[in-house]
């Protein structure tokens, strides 16, 4: 074959990239292409927010820039276009007389709609497509049970996979990438994408620079330089700082890091340093990620129904004012508000925070969980459709677990933030309060409010409901 287009989607890397490697093996020249799809930056259909907010948009821009630099270092380049993939990809393929378009496939409705429209436009022009599955730890074709029949519950699924499947080797990173001459095009600015300017808060736990280079540096630092992997299971429920968990999520979500590469590095660490329950646990978490990817193939758009994949009949509230208070971190419940303010100012929230913020919205406020999922979609730098909607559905009791698994946000805050360092980091107006009050400021008497210089309802909101009473009743 003379020419193949390699359409990069959420696989913005050169290492362990089977799509690119196969195109390089099959064709004389490749045309690496990234398309900024305006639909990914359009308004959410659930909430008054764009689907992609500034933190993730900036991360994607940086990742695309880094991919371009890596391709240039190998004698190639990256063609960047802004428009609908179903018209841009075929027109690029035609322009270069390509025989085929190579790309990675992704589950979930919108991704598949884009993919199917692009495939059909390519078929009309008699251009072949080659699809690859490159974003999970276990390859979809290696699952012991066909994906449509997999267990809906994590633990039996995980055990079966651990027993009866193995992780494939990573694919070699290419040393040269021969591309024809082309006008590469500019990476669009945030303004071009219609995204608000980014504001960076110096209290952020991580400063996730997009791209494969930064992702690999983070892995090197977390696992090897700072030797954090040996204690991951003990620290992973932390809330403050860079190293309580890996922070690999944004790079995994855009495919700047391959999960198989992470797995390989964990293996190497286990043979060179230590193998313990922490080293295993990072892989265990990557399996959660896989689980949701495969669940989305199995259940498709049912994941976006208010009753979820189990068709749960629950009446959700759709109160916009209450939703806004939650979204803005103004509920008056510090553990929820601190997490939401961290999300709003940085694009990141810990797993513990996500579980609690989601539970508060869906369980305590009884608001449509999809509004929360859509809000996270807009704000998270590491947003991944399957991990986000799958975890939200799970937390709202309409997904992959039928147990009632609500979180008591007061108990959780006091347990995981026992000295209130986290809440006061994000809610400095509560700084200096005794821990008990920092988590339950409504208990301050008027005299104590005056003593500590905090007026509830003025410096910090009064709670939007009697949350202690709510937990007593449920
Ligand atoms: C309501 C809710 C929404 C979420 N939305 C997303 C999302 O959009 N994108 C996303 O990557 N994760 C999501 N998660 C999962 C999890 O919170 C994040 O992956 C994690 O906090 C990212 O930080 P980390 O990389 O330091 O994680 P680590 O603890 O270091 O875990 C390592 C990796 O394992 C994967 N992982 C860990 N926990 C989960 C999980 N529960 N489900 C799926 N994968 C997991 C991630 O890829 C993560 O990077 C969500 C969880 C909840 C409860």
């Amino acid at each position: 074959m003379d020419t193949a287009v390699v359409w990069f989607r959420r696989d913005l890397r050169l290492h362990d990239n089977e799509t690119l490697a196969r195109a390089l093996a099959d064709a004389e020249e490749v045309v690496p292409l990234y398309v900024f799809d305006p639909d990914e930056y359009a308004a959410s259909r659930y909430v008054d927010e764009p689907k992609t907010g500034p933190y993730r948009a900036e991360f994607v821009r940086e990742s695309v820039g880094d991919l371009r630099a890596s391709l240039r270092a190998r004698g190639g380049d990256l063609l960047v276009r802004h428009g609908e993939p179903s018209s841009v990809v075929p027109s690029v393929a035609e322009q270069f007389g390509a025989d085929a378009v190579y790309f990675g496939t992704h589950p979930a409705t919108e991704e598949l709609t884009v993919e199917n429209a692009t495939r059909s436009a390519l078929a009309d022009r008699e251009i072949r497509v080659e699809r690859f599955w490159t974003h999970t730890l276990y390859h979809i074709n290696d699952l012991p049970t066909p994906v449509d029949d997999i267990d809906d519950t994590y633990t039996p699924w995980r055990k079966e996979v651990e027993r009866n499947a193995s992780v494939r080797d990573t694919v070699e990173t290419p040393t040269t990438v021969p591309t024809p001459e082309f006008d590469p095009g500019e990476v669009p600015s945030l303004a071009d994408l219609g995204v608000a300017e980014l504001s960076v808060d110096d209290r952020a736990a991580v400063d996730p620079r997009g791209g494969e280079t930064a992702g690999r540096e983070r892995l090197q630092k977390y696992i090897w330089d700072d030797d954090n992997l040996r204690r991951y299971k003990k620290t992973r429920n932390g809330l403050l700082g860079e190293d309580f968990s890996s922070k690999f999520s944004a790079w995994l979500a855009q495919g700047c890091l391959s999960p198989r590469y992470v797995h390989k590095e964990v293996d190497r660490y286990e043979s060179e340093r230590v193998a313990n329950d922490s080293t295993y646990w990072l892989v265990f978490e990557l399996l959660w990620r896989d689980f949701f990817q495969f669940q989305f193939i199995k259940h498709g758009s049912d994941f976006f129904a208010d009753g979820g994949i189990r068709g749960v009949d629950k009446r959700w509230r759709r109160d916009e004012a209450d939703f806004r208070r939650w979204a803005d971190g103004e509920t008056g419940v510090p553990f929820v508000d601190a997490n939401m303010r961290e999300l709003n100012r940085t694009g990141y929230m810990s797993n513990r925070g996500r579980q609690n913020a989601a539970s508060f919205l869906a369980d305590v406020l009884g608001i449509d969980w999809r509004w929360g999922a859509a809000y996270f979609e807009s704000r998270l730098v590491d947003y991944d459709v399957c991990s986000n909607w799958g975890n939200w559905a799970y937390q709202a009791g309409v997904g992959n677990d039928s147990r009632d698994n609500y979180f008591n946000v007061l108990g959780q805050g006091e347990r995981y933030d026992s000295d209130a360092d986290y809440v006061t980091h994000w809610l400095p107006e509560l700084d200096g309060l005794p821990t008990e009050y920092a988590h339950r400021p409504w208990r301050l008497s008027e005299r104590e409010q005056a003593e500590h210089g905090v007026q509830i309802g003025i410096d910090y909101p009064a709670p939007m409901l009697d949350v202690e009473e709510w937990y007593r009743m449920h």
Side-chain angles (χ1 to χ4, degrees):
M1 188 193 330
D2 290 336
T3 309
V5 170
V6 180
W7 173 27
F8 284 90
R9 300 176 75 200
R10 297 214 171 92
D11 51 355
L12 302 179
R13 63 174 184 270
L14 299 190
H15 74 278
D16 193 27
N17 189 332
E18 191 187 353
T19 313
L20 175 64
R22 288 279 290 276
L24 285 169
D26 295 346
E28 299 286 319
E29 284 189 319
V30 297
V31 180
L33 168 68
Y34 184 84
V35 186
F36 282 88
D37 180 353
D39 190 52
E40 289 186 18
Y41 299 85
S44 163
R45 58 190 278 206
Y46 300 99
V47 290
D48 188 16
E49 299 284 336
K51 283 200 256 185
T52 306
Y55 295 107
R56 188 163 73 261
E58 184 61 13
F59 189 91
V60 173
R61 290 181 66 257
E62 289 167 357
S63 301
V64 169
D66 181 64
L67 179 65
R68 169 173 275 173
S70 302
L71 287 164
R72 285 183 177 165
R74 286 162 178 78
D77 207 335
L78 178 70
L79 187 61
V80 174
R81 293 288 182 265
H82 188 188
E84 272 182 35
S86 61
S87 61
V88 174
V89 177
S91 90
V92 167
E94 267 188 337
Q95 183 192 339
F96 289 93
D99 308 278
V101 174
Y102 287 52
F103 62 90
T105 184
H106 285 272
T109 319
E110 288 179 2
E111 287 69 10
L112 282 173
T113 306
V114 169
E115 181 178 318
N116 290 337
T118 309
R119 286 173 71 187
S120 108
L122 287 165
D124 290 346
R125 292 164 175 81
E126 296 185 352
I127 299 169
R128 218 159 36 77
V129 300
E130 294 281 350
R131 292 196 302 162
F132 297 86
W133 182 271
T134 61
H135 68 287
T136 52
L137 183 58
Y138 287 87
H139 194 280
I140 190 167
N141 295 342
D142 297 342
L143 295 180
T145 303
V147 72
D148 288 336
D149 300 325
I150 57 173
D151 210 301
D152 280 352
T153 312
Y154 175 67
T155 304
W157 174 81
R158 172 182 59 78
K159 287 187 172 160
E160 192 199 18
V161 169
E162 286 176 335
R163 240 189 337 260
N164 299 322
S166 46
V167 177
R168 295 184 183 185
D169 283 344
T170 53
V171 174
E172 286 284 302
T173 304
T175 48
T176 56
V177 180
T179 58
E181 289 278 304
F182 51 68
D183 166 16
E186 294 285 317
V187 175
S189 65
L190 289 181
D192 294 336
L193 295 169
V195 173
E197 267 314 303
L198 187 71
S199 74
V200 179
D201 192 306
D202 58 14
R203 290 172 294 175
V206 266
D207 168 21
R209 237 177 336 116
E212 175 180 16
T213 309
R216 292 180 70 147
E217 281 170 14
R218 170 66 191 165
L219 183 145
Q220 170 67 29
K221 183 169 188 302
Y222 182 78
I223 294 185
W224 297 102
D225 303 348
D226 296 347
D227 208 14
N228 285 313
L229 188 53
R230 64 177 67 236
R231 49 189 160 262
Y232 167 72
K233 190 160 184 251
K234 294 197 184 70
T235 57
R236 60 179 280 275
N237 280 309
L239 299 163
L240 262 183
E242 197 185 359
D243 286 337
F244 64 81
S245 63
S246 74
K247 311 292 192 311
F248 295 163
S249 50
W251 290 288
L252 284 163
Q254 295 302 327
C256 303
L257 275 180
S258 143
R260 293 196 300 216
Y261 171 68
V262 177
H263 179 255
K264 197 172 160 183
E265 288 293 289
V266 172
D267 263 1
R268 187 159 75 85
Y269 183 91
E270 288 183 334
S271 58
E272 292 179 17
R273 293 206 184 157
V274 63
N276 60 17
D277 53 355
S278 284
T279 56
Y280 166 70
W281 216 261
L282 190 70
V283 178
F284 174 96
E285 294 299 343
L286 290 176
L287 270 159
W288 264 113
R289 179 176 175 277
D290 272 21
F291 176 67
F292 286 122
Q293 302 295 323
F294 296 129
Q295 285 292 319
F296 267 68
I297 299 264
K298 178 175 176 187
H299 293 289
S301 58
D302 289 354
F303 263 109
F304 303 98
D306 58 355
I309 59 171
R310 289 187 294 107
V312 175
D313 186 18
K314 177 169 173 184
R315 200 160 294 195
W316 297 99
R317 288 201 313 129
R318 297 197 172 84
D319 182 311
E320 298 207 359
D322 281 1
F323 173 74
R324 258 297 130 197
R325 285 191 65 174
W326 172 84
D328 292 344
E330 297 283 343
T331 66
V333 180
F335 195 52
V336 175
D337 292 345
N339 276 291
M340 293 306 294
R341 292 193 199 180
E342 179 182 14
L343 174 68
N344 290 336
R345 308 230 163 103
T346 70
Y348 184 77
M349 190 195 289
S350 69
N351 186 56
R352 182 70 31 199
R354 294 180 207 205
Q355 289 171 318
N356 278 277
S359 176
F360 190 79
L361 183 84
D363 300 323
V364 178
L365 299 180
I367 289 179
D368 190 342
W369 64 276
R370 299 174 306 170
W371 288 15
Y375 190 77
F376 272 30
E377 171 171 351
S378 181
R379 299 294 165 127
L380 280 175
V381 68
D382 64 16
Y383 171 72
D384 169 275
V385 56
C386 309
S387 294
N388 185 61
W389 288 79
N391 272 293
W392 265 96
Y394 184 99
Q395 199 53 59
V398 302
N400 293 92
D401 197 333
S402 49
R403 284 172 304 170
D404 191 0
N405 48 7
Y406 78 73
F407 281 74
N408 179 325
V409 301
L410 301 176
Q412 289 268 308
E414 284 158 351
R415 176 167 170 201
Y416 291 101
D417 184 31
S418 54
D419 41 17
D421 280 354
Y422 177 74
V423 290
T424 52
H425 186 74
W426 290 104
L427 308 169
E429 58 273 37
L430 302 182
D431 205 6
L433 288 182
T435 306
E436 184 212 340
Y437 289 137
H439 280 292
R440 304 179 192 234
W442 52 85
R443 286 188 176 181
L444 288 163
S445 66
E446 287 199 2
R447 188 180 50 76
E448 287 165 327
Q449 291 183 38
E451 208 175 285
H452 293 291
V454 183
Q455 261 187 290
I456 300 306
I458 294 179
D459 301 313
Y460 180 70
M464 57 194 292
L465 80 166
D466 185 342
V467 65
E468 295 193 28
E469 176 66 6
W470 194 93
Y471 287 118
R472 261 195 304 276
M473 303 300 290
H474 289 82

